[in-house]
Amino acid sequence: MSEIAPFPEGFLWGAATSAYQVEGSPLADGAGPSIWHRFARIPGKVRDGDTGDVACDHYNRYAEDVALMKALGLGAYRFSISWSRVLPEGRGRVNEKGLDFYRRLVAALREAGIRPMATLYHWDLPAALDDRGGWTNPDAASWFADYATACYRALDGAVDLWATLNEPWVVADGGYLHGVLAPGIASPWAAPRASKNLLLAHAAGVAAYRAEGKGQVGLVVNLEPKYPASERPEDLAAVARADAYMNRQYLDPALLGKVPEGLAGIFGEAWEGPTGAELAAMKAPIDFLGVNYYTRAVVYDDPRSFPVMEGRAFQRHATHTETGWEVWPDGLYDVLTWVRRRYGDLPLYVTENGAAFYDPPVAPGPVLDDPLRVAYLDAHLGAVRRAIADGVDVRGYFAWSLLDNLEWAHGFRKRFGIVHVDFATQKRTPKASARFYSEVIRTNGECLRG
Ligand code: IFM
C-alpha cells in the first residue's frame, strides 16, 4: 500500500491518439486531403517515406480497438477529429459521411462505458485552407469556429469533453517557424502570425461552444519545465526566454489575457502582437486545461540557436527515450504545480504522457515486455499523485498512446503505444505497460510504486 493519498474517486483513466496518426483511409467517404496527407508525400519529409494512408487502420478497426480499450479497463479515450473529413474543402459544405465515422466511434465508446474526449485540431489542417495561407490567414479563426460548430452539432451530448487545439506551440514552431512538420513553412514572419491566429481560433471555438454545447471545453498545451544549467545571469535569462516562448506563449493570453514578458523580443521585427481587443477575446473562460508532458530542458544561453537562443544541456547520466528526450518525472509534478500557482485553480487533465522506447516491429509473443515504459508510467503517475496530494485539481490522465502509430516526421519507427501494432498485419499485442496500466486503473493507482 502506498503512503500518499490515493487518486480521487472518479479520476478519469484514459489513453489518447490523434486522427492522422492512427486512422488511415485519409480520403475515404468523401474526405478532402489534409496538410499531412500532402506533406508526407514530399520525399524526405517523413522518415522512410511513411504516410498515414493506412497507419493503424483505426478508421476500419475502431470497433476492435474500442473492445481492446474496454478489456484494458479504460474509462476515457481521447481522439481527434479530422477537419478535412468533416469539411473536405475546409469551409462550406459539411460531409455527413465524415461525421458518421465519429458518430460510430463515439457510440461504440459509450456502449463500452468509455467517456469520449474529442480534440478538434490535432495538426491536420485541410489542404484547401493551406492554399489560402493556413494558420497565417486572419480568417483562420472563423474557419475554425464554423468547423467546430459542425462537430458540436453532430456529437455534443455524446462527447463530454472537447479540446479546441492540441499543442498550438508545436503547430507554429514545427509547422511555420522551422518547417519540420506540415505545412513545412520555415519563416520567422509566419510563426508569430500563426500563433496569434491559433489563439484567436481557440477563443472562437470556445465561444461557439458556449452557444451550442452542454459539456466542457478546454485547451491542450504541451509544457516543458525549463531549469537553468547554471546560475550565470545569461543562463537565467535564457531560461526566462525559453519559458515565455514554450510554456507561456499560449497560456498567458488564453488564461490571463496578456502577452508574456519577453515574447516580442524573441520574434523581433516579425512580432505582430495582438491588439487589446484581440487579447480580450483570447481570454475566453475554459472549463479545463489539458497538459501534455514528456520531458524537461536544462537551459543555457546559446546565441546560435534561433530564435530563443536556448541551448539544451545534455544530461549524460539520465535515461533518454528513443526520441532523445530525458526521462524526468519530477518535471510533471513541477508543471502541474506551476500551472496552479500561475493560473489558479483550474481543473486539469494530463492529456498526454508517455515514451517511445525500442520495441521490435513484430511482437514475439502474446505480451511484449517493455520494462522502460512501465517504469516511465509508474514514475510519472507517482508525480501526478504527488501534485494532487499538494492540492492540484488533476481530474484525469491519458497515456500517450493507446497504439503505436505514425510519429509525424519520425514515421512508424518511434513506438509510443502501450499496445504494439505490427504495421504489416495490423495485429495488436498488449505490451507489459498496457497490463501495468490496467492494474493501475483497477486499483485506482494503489499499485503504483513511483
Ligand atoms: O505523437 C505526438 C502527439 O501527436 C502530440 N504530442 C506529442 C506526441 C509525441 O511526440
Side-chain angles (χ1 to χ4, degrees), residues 51-213:
T51 73
D53 287 2
V54 178
C56 306
D57 197 25
H58 184 64
Y59 193 77
N60 296 309
R61 293 170 197 260
Y62 72 90
E64 179 193 332
D65 290 337
V66 171
L68 188 61
M69 295 177 215
K70 190 174 176 184
L72 292 176
L74 294 189
Y77 176 52
R78 175 174 177 244
F79 61 95
S80 78
I81 299 177
S82 154
W83 187 336
S84 57
R85 286 195 198 284
V86 177
L87 292 147
E89 292 89 36
R91 321 174 294 160
R93 184 177 60 89
V94 173
N95 176 32
E96 287 297 329
K97 282 191 173 170
L99 279 169
D100 282 346
F101 168 65
Y102 299 104
R103 289 190 180 101
R104 291 193 295 275
L105 172 64
V106 160
L109 289 166
R110 297 223 80 98
E111 171 75 29
I114 298 168
R115 292 178 66 187
M117 177 190 274
T119 302
L120 289 162
Y121 186 69
H122 199 125
W123 310 359
D124 45 357
L125 194 74
L129 297 183
D130 187 47
D131 295 339
R132 297 173 175 270
W135 287 110
T136 65
N137 188 317
D139 290 338
S142 75
W143 299 336
F144 181 73
D146 290 348
Y147 155 62
T149 301
C151 295
Y152 300 150
R153 287 191 179 147
L155 298 165
D156 196 44
V159 166
D160 23 33
L161 292 162
W162 291 91
T164 53
L165 309 177
N166 181 69
E167 302 181 357
W169 179 82
V170 178
V171 175
D173 182 82
Y176 291 87
L177 181 70
H178 297 297
V180 293
L181 301 175
I185 294 167
S187 156
W189 301 90
R193 277 186 204 155
S195 161
K196 178 164 105 173
N197 291 327
L198 282 158
L199 277 161
L200 290 168
H202 156 69
V206 172
Y209 195 68
R210 298 297 173 222
E212 298 281 337

Side-chain angles (χ1 to χ4, degrees), residues 18 21 122-123 166-167 292 294 325 352 400 407-408 416:
S18 89
Q21 293 181 275
H122 199 125
W123 310 359
N166 181 69
E167 302 181 357
N292 294 354
Y294 290 91
W325 300 339
E352 285 181 28
W400 184 270
E407 178 53 19
W408 306 111
F416 277 88

Side-chain angles (χ1 to χ4, degrees), residues 25-49:
S25 308
L27 303 180
D29 298 323
S34 72
I35 52 174
W36 270 94
H37 185 71
R38 224 185 227 178
F39 187 72
R41 285 175 160 63
I42 304 173
K45 295 296 185 192
V46 177
R47 188 162 177 186
D48 301 330

